[in-house]
Amino acid sequence: MSRPRKFNEDDVLSSATDAFCVAGYAGTTVEDLMAATGLGKQSLYNAFGGKHDLFMRVFDSDVQDAVAAVDQALAESEGTPVERLRAHLLKLAIAVGTGDTMRPSLLAKATAELSRSDRAVTEGALKAFGKLEDIYYGCVVEAQQCGEVDRTADARALAEFFLTFTRGLEALGNAGVSSLKLRAAAITAVDVLPLLKPRATCAVTG
């Protein structure tokens, strides 16, 4: 009969995510994970199957959370589609700006470190980027349908632009670029949209 686990799995996964976010995959040793989670080596392996299996577990979870956060920001907040997009970009700029205590994104960290060497990370990252692009695409199309953005504009190309911009924004923030500069860039990114005078039907609540 197996012995019952004496730890909270969610707490362990959160602590492991923190460790990987700070030091990356290669820079995080099993000993680091033991110290972060409070588990012994054998318990860690028995519960999660080793360092890589644990990393993929927290990576997949972090990616899902990142996609869900963008989806919620652009679909469920108040205001017109363009207003929601602007608010999302400004919030991201503030969050990744210099001096913020927010935990770095494991999606960004793992993609930069492992995308050329770990197929599972590459596939997970590409799937996440595809979902994020689709979310931005939906927001642009909604803005076109309610008259905020020119209907002749290429919505897919604009979605690709916002995906690329947000990934770059995060990288610049992690490199130490100030929140002030990132906020200015976020405002400019929205201003490049072929904006039209919004109709009253745009002012909806998600």
Side-chain angles (χ1 to χ4, degrees):
M1 182 176 179
S2 61
R3 297 173 61 184
R5 295 181 178 180
K6 296 182 179 180
F7 60 86
N8 184 296
E9 186 171 289
D10 289 339
D11 290 342
V12 170
L13 293 175
S14 179
S15 297
T17 302
D18 288 339
F20 283 124
C21 282
V22 170
Y25 180 77
T28 304
T29 65
V30 172
E31 288 71 25
D32 292 331
L33 293 171
M34 291 165 56
T37 63
L39 295 181
K41 181 180 292 187
Q42 195 58 51
S43 295
L44 201 64
Y45 276 81
N46 288 344
F48 301 103
K51 176 182 171 180
H52 188 265
D53 288 338
L54 176 57
F55 177 79
M56 290 309 303
R57 176 84 174 269
V58 298
F59 173 73
D60 290 341
S61 177
D62 191 76
V63 166
Q64 291 175 17
D65 289 344
V67 172
V70 175
D71 189 30
Q72 182 176 8
L74 294 181
E76 298 181 5
S77 57
E78 295 185 358
T80 71
V82 171
E83 288 171 346
R84 299 199 303 269
L85 179 60
R86 181 181 290 108
H88 161 62
L89 295 181
L90 286 171
K91 183 178 179 180
L92 179 62
I94 293 169
V96 301
T98 303
D100 193 89
T101 57
M102 158 184 173
R103 180 167 69 186
S105 164
L106 194 55
L107 172 59
K109 192 92 171 181
T111 302
E113 180 186 4
L114 300 171
S115 61
R116 294 183 179 273
S117 60
D118 192 312
R119 184 175 180 180
V121 169
T122 302
E123 292 177 349
L126 289 175
K127 184 179 293 185
F129 293 149
K131 290 179 179 179
L132 288 170
E133 182 184 312
D134 286 342
I135 293 170
Y136 290 121
Y137 174 76
C139 185
V140 173
V141 169
E142 185 182 353
Q144 288 177 316
Q145 290 174 342
C146 71
E148 273 193 302
V149 171
D150 189 344
R151 287 176 179 265
T152 65
D154 187 335
R156 182 57 65 178
L158 289 170
E160 292 168 354
F161 164 74
F162 284 114
L163 171 65
T164 304
F165 176 79
T166 52
R167 296 305 94 199
L169 196 70
E170 190 169 19
L172 290 172
N174 290 337
V177 175
S178 72
S179 177
L180 181 63
K181 290 184 177 180
L182 297 181
R183 292 199 304 271
I187 293 171
T188 301
V190 176
D191 287 343
V192 305
L193 284 168
L195 297 172
L196 302 173
K197 184 177 180 180
R199 299 204 308 264
T201 53
C202 278
V204 295
T205 302

